[in-house]
Amino acid sequence: MSRTTTARRGFDWSQPVIYLVALLAVGLTVAPVIYLVIGGFRTTGQLTANPNALPAPWVLDNYASVLASPTFWSQAANSAITALATTAGVVLLGVMAAFVLARYEFRARNGLYLLFTVGLLFPITVAIVPLYLMLQNLGLLGSLAGVIIPQVAFALPVTIVILVPFLRAIPGELEDAAAIDGTSRIGFFFRILLPLSGPGLVTVGVLAFVGSWNAYLLPLLVLSDPTSFTLPLGVQAFSTQYSQDTAMVLAFTSLAMLPALVFFTIAERRIVGGLTGAVKG
Amino acid sequence: MTPTDPTVLATDTRRDSAAGRANARPAAESDTSPSTPTVRRTGRGSRRKSLEIVLFVAPALLVYVGFVLLPVVLAAYYSVYKWNGLGPLEDFVGLDNYTRALSDPVFIGAMGHNLFFVVASLVVQGPIAIGVALLLNRAMRGRSIFRVIIFIPYVLSEVISAVAWLLILQPQGPFDAVMEAVGLGDLRQLWLADLNVVIWTLLAVVSWKYVGFAIILFLAGLQGVPEELTEAAQIDGASWWQVQRHITIPLLGPTIRIWAFLSIIGSLQLFDMVWVMTGGGPANASSTMATYMIQFGFQRSQLGFGSAIAVILFVISFTFALIYQRFVLRRDTEGALTRGVG
């Protein structure tokens, strides 16, 4: 019986269909990405002559000159600084607030939670005009801080909504035990709660990082000097500036998307795992 | 179920432990005998507890109120003025900005485009995402690689995706060459410059970008579908498709409803990709409410008018969210957005 099942599964008629569909999906997904990367190894002359041929010969000049340009590196650094600072800010402020909302009994608690949840309905687009003026008055236009602080603020609602269930899920007995052992609530927070809520923290961290790394509208309005650009702004500016040199734009765009791809490949499991918790609870 | 799965513990222990702890403390205080150290700590507890609450919540609350709530309120305030952002706010025009927007055919057109994206995104992305997620949920060789690859567009920034597609879709570009090669050369279009084609092109690119997010969500949701159920059905002789149709997809319902919610809100806010690829053109044929707002609010410095657009955009999203929660998400008792902490 078991042998026949195994054999059937091995030659299941649906298997080829499934692989076909999967390959089709994968093809449609990556074709543009592969085109960018390979296109960067061609010359613009080659591209014009035949848009889809393989590089003949393979040219390294485009990638070399992008990698040698200080603009690319300063923009990559700006993106990294902005994304890391946003992530750190969101996770720190978010976990502190979520801790109180999850584990303290007090009158204003539900109201506070509601106040933060309402923020899920305020996309940055709605607030962008007054935000721009505020940043102007605070002297933050043109600086990365002007991007980081609002990004932290707008990422807080989803962070808190994801973290509160994580922090609640840690059994009260642990807290009681810690209290009996003489640990304060704050000590409990640092020594027990933070380590145990690791997966939740990673999820919100990854979401904040990806969101900040890809952000466009806020940096577009706040940053005006090309040396302060983040990569998305840099890619757009570069593609306009070098619109005659398609191969160069392909190389620049390929290199700009590389960090996000590497980061995501590492964090993929965490994103799926973390969303499971968020979606269900 | 992993030990860190929050829902398992949360649903069972929440009520009891919260209530238990709430009752335990006052009770302990009432039969105080000052000599025991535990009780002394509890006695000082309430003031210290308030201090902790304030210290822990204040930073998040300040940033959130200052940079999210305040700007939203200010947008409503600016929206009743005619203002270019310079000088005092004194040219009060009442609801003029609103009537101006709602009587501008370009803005009405932009709202229509948003509506198009709302409906078309659901219809295009939903079935594809469910299909791919069910597929990737099967035991198959190379599954984890497929998974990683399919999420790539979701991780790429909107701008990079948009620039990539601009290059691919340019006239005589690689996409046209592919069409030619497979014998569809006659169907070539000015993908981003034809008034009637541009919005369909954008729909295709937007779907390419965001379908991965739907797949991620659905795969996460599928992990919550108990294997015993599908195994039992298989033993009873149900085919793979029957199992999916009658067990898996219905159990995926809550996830589908949350995805639809996020997708609709996202389509209403659509900005980045449209702005980079077409700027709302040609001749406003692909403008959205958000691109319209940036055009007027920033490029033409009509901050009062731009704020009115922002408020309209918000009211539409908010009304939709309320109705959706009331009539759709309510069915999902576990919907994280629908309930408070307690």
Side-chain angles (χ1 to χ4, degrees), chain B residues 54-92:
Chain B
V54 170
L55 279 180
F56 270 65
V57 175
L61 196 62
L62 279 179
V63 172
Y64 172 70
V65 170
F67 288 90
V68 178
L69 292 187
L70 181 63
V72 169
V73 172
L74 283 175
Y77 176 58
Y78 296 160
S79 74
V80 290
Y81 287 88
K82 185 171 181 217
W83 192 39
N84 62 5
L86 305 166
L89 199 60
E90 52 188 15
D91 196 355
F92 180 82

Short mmCIF file of all heavy atoms in Angstrom, two decimals, chain B residues 54-92:
data_model
loop_
_atom_site.label_atom_id
_atom_site.label_comp_id
_atom_site.label_asym_id
_atom_site.label_seq_id
_atom_site.Cartn_x
_atom_site.Cartn_y
_atom_site.Cartn_z
N VAL B 54 4.29 56.15 32.26
CA VAL B 54 4.58 57.41 31.57
C VAL B 54 5.93 57.33 30.85
O VAL B 54 6.04 57.66 29.67
CB VAL B 54 4.57 58.59 32.57
CG1 VAL B 54 5.10 59.85 31.91
CG2 VAL B 54 3.16 58.79 33.10
N LEU B 55 6.96 56.85 31.56
CA LEU B 55 8.29 56.81 30.97
C LEU B 55 8.34 55.93 29.72
O LEU B 55 9.04 56.23 28.77
CB LEU B 55 9.31 56.29 31.99
CG LEU B 55 9.81 57.31 32.99
CD1 LEU B 55 10.80 56.67 33.96
CD2 LEU B 55 10.48 58.47 32.26
N PHE B 56 7.59 54.84 29.75
CA PHE B 56 7.67 53.90 28.63
C PHE B 56 6.82 54.33 27.44
O PHE B 56 7.17 54.07 26.31
CB PHE B 56 7.25 52.49 29.09
CG PHE B 56 8.40 51.69 29.59
CD1 PHE B 56 9.08 52.08 30.73
CD2 PHE B 56 8.82 50.56 28.91
CE1 PHE B 56 10.17 51.36 31.18
CE2 PHE B 56 9.91 49.84 29.36
CZ PHE B 56 10.59 50.23 30.50
N VAL B 57 5.67 54.96 27.74
CA VAL B 57 4.78 55.31 26.63
C VAL B 57 5.13 56.68 26.05
O VAL B 57 4.99 56.90 24.85
CB VAL B 57 3.31 55.29 27.08
CG1 VAL B 57 2.39 55.78 25.98
CG2 VAL B 57 2.92 53.87 27.48
N ALA B 58 5.63 57.58 26.91
CA ALA B 58 5.81 58.97 26.47
C ALA B 58 6.62 59.15 25.19
O ALA B 58 6.17 59.87 24.29
CB ALA B 58 6.41 59.80 27.61
N PRO B 59 7.78 58.49 25.05
CA PRO B 59 8.56 58.76 23.82
C PRO B 59 7.76 58.41 22.57
O PRO B 59 7.67 59.23 21.64
CB PRO B 59 9.77 57.84 23.97
CG PRO B 59 9.87 57.51 25.40
CD PRO B 59 8.48 57.56 25.95
N ALA B 60 7.16 57.21 22.55
CA ALA B 60 6.40 56.81 21.37
C ALA B 60 5.22 57.75 21.15
O ALA B 60 4.95 58.19 20.03
CB ALA B 60 5.90 55.37 21.54
N LEU B 61 4.55 58.09 22.23
CA LEU B 61 3.36 58.92 22.12
C LEU B 61 3.70 60.31 21.57
O LEU B 61 3.01 60.83 20.69
CB LEU B 61 2.69 59.03 23.49
CG LEU B 61 1.25 59.53 23.48
CD1 LEU B 61 0.35 58.58 22.72
CD2 LEU B 61 0.73 59.71 24.91
N LEU B 62 4.80 60.88 22.08
CA LEU B 62 5.20 62.22 21.62
C LEU B 62 5.50 62.22 20.13
O LEU B 62 5.00 63.05 19.38
CB LEU B 62 6.45 62.68 22.39
CG LEU B 62 6.20 63.26 23.77
CD1 LEU B 62 7.53 63.65 24.44
CD2 LEU B 62 5.31 64.50 23.64
N VAL B 63 6.33 61.27 19.70
CA VAL B 63 6.70 61.21 18.28
C VAL B 63 5.47 60.99 17.43
O VAL B 63 5.27 61.63 16.40
CB VAL B 63 7.75 60.10 18.06
CG1 VAL B 63 7.99 59.88 16.58
CG2 VAL B 63 9.05 60.45 18.75
N TYR B 64 4.61 60.08 17.90
CA TYR B 64 3.42 59.72 17.13
C TYR B 64 2.43 60.88 17.04
O TYR B 64 1.95 61.23 15.96
CB TYR B 64 2.78 58.49 17.77
CG TYR B 64 1.44 58.11 17.21
CD1 TYR B 64 1.32 57.60 15.93
CD2 TYR B 64 0.29 58.26 17.98
CE1 TYR B 64 0.09 57.24 15.41
CE2 TYR B 64 -0.95 57.90 17.48
CZ TYR B 64 -1.05 57.40 16.20
OH TYR B 64 -2.27 57.06 15.70
N VAL B 65 2.17 61.51 18.18
CA VAL B 65 1.23 62.63 18.16
C VAL B 65 1.80 63.80 17.36
O VAL B 65 1.13 64.40 16.53
CB VAL B 65 0.88 63.08 19.61
CG1 VAL B 65 0.11 64.39 19.60
CG2 VAL B 65 0.07 62.00 20.31
N GLY B 66 3.10 64.07 17.56
CA GLY B 66 3.72 65.21 16.91
C GLY B 66 3.85 65.06 15.41
O GLY B 66 3.65 66.02 14.66
N PHE B 67 4.17 63.85 14.95
CA PHE B 67 4.48 63.71 13.53
C PHE B 67 3.43 62.94 12.73
O PHE B 67 3.53 62.83 11.54
CB PHE B 67 5.86 63.05 13.36
CG PHE B 67 6.98 63.97 13.73
CD1 PHE B 67 7.45 64.00 15.04
CD2 PHE B 67 7.53 64.83 12.80
CE1 PHE B 67 8.47 64.87 15.39
CE2 PHE B 67 8.54 65.70 13.15
CZ PHE B 67 9.02 65.72 14.45
N VAL B 68 2.43 62.37 13.42
CA VAL B 68 1.35 61.71 12.68
C VAL B 68 0.02 62.44 12.91
O VAL B 68 -0.59 62.95 11.98
CB VAL B 68 1.20 60.22 13.05
CG1 VAL B 68 0.05 59.59 12.29
CG2 VAL B 68 2.49 59.46 12.75
N LEU B 69 -0.41 62.50 14.18
CA LEU B 69 -1.74 63.06 14.45
C LEU B 69 -1.80 64.56 14.17
O LEU B 69 -2.72 65.04 13.52
CB LEU B 69 -2.15 62.77 15.90
CG LEU B 69 -2.40 61.30 16.22
CD1 LEU B 69 -2.97 61.15 17.62
CD2 LEU B 69 -3.34 60.66 15.20
N LEU B 70 -0.78 65.28 14.66
CA LEU B 70 -0.80 66.73 14.48
C LEU B 70 -0.84 67.12 12.99
O LEU B 70 -1.69 67.93 12.59
CB LEU B 70 0.40 67.37 15.21
CG LEU B 70 0.50 68.89 15.12
CD1 LEU B 70 -0.70 69.54 15.78
CD2 LEU B 70 1.80 69.40 15.77
N PRO B 71 0.03 66.55 12.15
CA PRO B 71 -0.06 66.90 10.72
C PRO B 71 -1.41 66.58 10.11
O PRO B 71 -1.91 67.35 9.28
CB PRO B 71 1.04 66.05 10.07
CG PRO B 71 1.96 65.71 11.15
CD PRO B 71 1.19 65.70 12.43
N VAL B 72 -2.02 65.46 10.53
CA VAL B 72 -3.31 65.12 9.95
C VAL B 72 -4.36 66.16 10.34
O VAL B 72 -5.14 66.61 9.50
CB VAL B 72 -3.75 63.70 10.41
CG1 VAL B 72 -5.19 63.45 10.04
CG2 VAL B 72 -2.85 62.65 9.77
N VAL B 73 -4.32 66.58 11.62
CA VAL B 73 -5.25 67.61 12.06
C VAL B 73 -4.98 68.93 11.33
O VAL B 73 -5.90 69.61 10.87
CB VAL B 73 -5.16 67.80 13.60
CG1 VAL B 73 -5.99 69.00 14.04
CG2 VAL B 73 -5.60 66.54 14.31
N LEU B 74 -3.69 69.26 11.20
CA LEU B 74 -3.33 70.50 10.50
C LEU B 74 -3.80 70.48 9.05
O LEU B 74 -4.21 71.51 8.51
CB LEU B 74 -1.82 70.72 10.56
CG LEU B 74 -1.27 71.23 11.89
CD1 LEU B 74 0.25 71.29 11.85
CD2 LEU B 74 -1.84 72.60 12.23
N ALA B 75 -3.74 69.29 8.42
CA ALA B 75 -4.20 69.20 7.03
C ALA B 75 -5.66 69.63 6.94
O ALA B 75 -6.04 70.38 6.03
CB ALA B 75 -4.01 67.78 6.50
N ALA B 76 -6.46 69.16 7.89
CA ALA B 76 -7.87 69.55 7.90
C ALA B 76 -8.01 71.06 8.08
O ALA B 76 -8.84 71.71 7.45
CB ALA B 76 -8.60 68.81 9.00
N TYR B 77 -7.13 71.62 8.93
CA TYR B 77 -7.17 73.05 9.21
C TYR B 77 -6.77 73.86 7.97
O TYR B 77 -7.47 74.79 7.56
CB TYR B 77 -6.25 73.32 10.40
CG TYR B 77 -6.08 74.77 10.78
CD1 TYR B 77 -7.17 75.56 11.11
CD2 TYR B 77 -4.80 75.34 10.82
CE1 TYR B 77 -6.99 76.88 11.47
CE2 TYR B 77 -4.62 76.66 11.19
CZ TYR B 77 -5.72 77.43 11.51
OH TYR B 77 -5.54 78.73 11.87
N TYR B 78 -5.66 73.49 7.34
CA TYR B 78 -5.20 74.22 6.15
C TYR B 78 -6.22 74.15 5.02
O TYR B 78 -6.27 75.03 4.15
CB TYR B 78 -3.88 73.65 5.62
CG TYR B 78 -2.69 73.78 6.54
CD1 TYR B 78 -1.57 72.97 6.38
CD2 TYR B 78 -2.68 74.71 7.58
CE1 TYR B 78 -0.48 73.08 7.22
CE2 TYR B 78 -1.59 74.82 8.42
CZ TYR B 78 -0.49 73.99 8.24
OH TYR B 78 0.58 74.10 9.07
N SER B 79 -7.01 73.06 5.01
CA SER B 79 -7.84 72.79 3.84
C SER B 79 -8.96 73.82 3.65
O SER B 79 -9.56 73.87 2.59
CB SER B 79 -8.45 71.40 3.93
OG SER B 79 -9.48 71.38 4.90
N VAL B 80 -9.22 74.63 4.67
CA VAL B 80 -10.27 75.64 4.51
C VAL B 80 -9.68 77.02 4.22
O VAL B 80 -10.35 78.04 4.32
CB VAL B 80 -11.21 75.71 5.73
CG1 VAL B 80 -12.08 74.46 5.79
CG2 VAL B 80 -10.43 75.87 7.02
N TYR B 81 -8.38 77.04 3.91
CA TYR B 81 -7.74 78.31 3.56
C TYR B 81 -7.19 78.25 2.15
O TYR B 81 -6.86 77.17 1.64
CB TYR B 81 -6.58 78.62 4.52
CG TYR B 81 -7.05 79.02 5.88
CD1 TYR B 81 -7.30 78.06 6.85
CD2 TYR B 81 -7.25 80.37 6.20
CE1 TYR B 81 -7.75 78.42 8.11
CE2 TYR B 81 -7.70 80.74 7.44
CZ TYR B 81 -7.94 79.76 8.40
OH TYR B 81 -8.38 80.13 9.63
N LYS B 82 -7.10 79.42 1.54
CA LYS B 82 -6.35 79.52 0.30
C LYS B 82 -4.95 79.98 0.72
O LYS B 82 -4.79 81.05 1.31
CB LYS B 82 -7.00 80.56 -0.63
CG LYS B 82 -6.34 80.62 -1.98
CD LYS B 82 -7.15 81.49 -2.94
CE LYS B 82 -6.42 81.48 -4.27
NZ LYS B 82 -6.47 82.73 -4.96
N TRP B 83 -3.94 79.15 0.45
CA TRP B 83 -2.64 79.43 1.06
C TRP B 83 -1.54 78.85 0.21
O TRP B 83 -1.63 77.71 -0.26
CB TRP B 83 -2.60 78.81 2.47
CG TRP B 83 -1.44 79.25 3.29
CD1 TRP B 83 -0.92 80.49 3.36
CD2 TRP B 83 -0.68 78.44 4.18
NE1 TRP B 83 0.13 80.53 4.25
CE2 TRP B 83 0.30 79.28 4.77
CE3 TRP B 83 -0.72 77.10 4.58
CZ2 TRP B 83 1.22 78.82 5.69
CZ3 TRP B 83 0.19 76.63 5.50
CH2 TRP B 83 1.16 77.49 6.06
N ASN B 84 -0.47 79.64 0.01
CA ASN B 84 0.65 79.12 -0.76
C ASN B 84 1.82 78.72 0.14
O ASN B 84 2.92 78.47 -0.34
CB ASN B 84 1.11 80.12 -1.83
CG ASN B 84 1.61 81.41 -1.21
OD1 ASN B 84 1.71 81.52 0.02
ND2 ASN B 84 1.92 82.39 -2.04
N GLY B 85 1.57 78.69 1.45
CA GLY B 85 2.62 78.25 2.37
C GLY B 85 3.49 79.38 2.88
O GLY B 85 4.25 79.21 3.83
N LEU B 86 3.40 80.55 2.25
CA LEU B 86 4.16 81.69 2.71
C LEU B 86 3.21 82.68 3.37
O LEU B 86 2.06 82.79 2.99
CB LEU B 86 4.85 82.39 1.53
CG LEU B 86 5.74 81.47 0.68
CD1 LEU B 86 6.10 82.14 -0.64
CD2 LEU B 86 7.00 81.09 1.45
N GLY B 87 3.70 83.37 4.35
CA GLY B 87 2.89 84.40 5.00
C GLY B 87 1.82 83.78 5.89
O GLY B 87 1.71 82.56 5.99
N PRO B 88 1.04 84.67 6.53
CA PRO B 88 0.06 84.18 7.49
C PRO B 88 -1.11 83.47 6.81
O PRO B 88 -1.41 83.69 5.64
CB PRO B 88 -0.41 85.46 8.18
CG PRO B 88 -0.15 86.54 7.20
CD PRO B 88 1.05 86.12 6.41
N LEU B 89 -1.73 82.61 7.62
CA LEU B 89 -2.86 81.83 7.14
C LEU B 89 -4.11 82.67 7.36
O LEU B 89 -4.67 82.69 8.44
CB LEU B 89 -2.90 80.55 7.99
CG LEU B 89 -3.65 79.33 7.52
CD1 LEU B 89 -3.09 78.84 6.21
CD2 LEU B 89 -3.54 78.26 8.57
N GLU B 90 -4.55 83.44 6.37
CA GLU B 90 -5.66 84.35 6.67
C GLU B 90 -6.75 84.37 5.62
O GLU B 90 -7.83 84.88 5.84
CB GLU B 90 -5.13 85.79 6.85
CG GLU B 90 -4.26 86.22 5.68
CD GLU B 90 -3.58 87.56 5.94
OE1 GLU B 90 -3.55 87.99 7.10
OE2 GLU B 90 -3.07 88.15 4.98
N ASP B 91 -6.49 83.75 4.47
CA ASP B 91 -7.47 83.81 3.40
C ASP B 91 -8.46 82.64 3.54
O ASP B 91 -8.38 81.66 2.81
CB ASP B 91 -6.76 83.77 2.05
CG ASP B 91 -7.66 84.22 0.90
OD1 ASP B 91 -8.85 84.45 1.16
OD2 ASP B 91 -7.15 84.32 -0.23
N PHE B 92 -9.37 82.79 4.51
CA PHE B 92 -10.32 81.72 4.79
C PHE B 92 -11.32 81.58 3.64
O PHE B 92 -11.95 82.56 3.24
CB PHE B 92 -11.06 82.03 6.09
CG PHE B 92 -12.07 80.97 6.46
CD1 PHE B 92 -11.66 79.81 7.12
CD2 PHE B 92 -13.42 81.13 6.17
CE1 PHE B 92 -12.58 78.83 7.47
CE2 PHE B 92 -14.34 80.15 6.52
CZ PHE B 92 -13.91 79.01 7.16
#
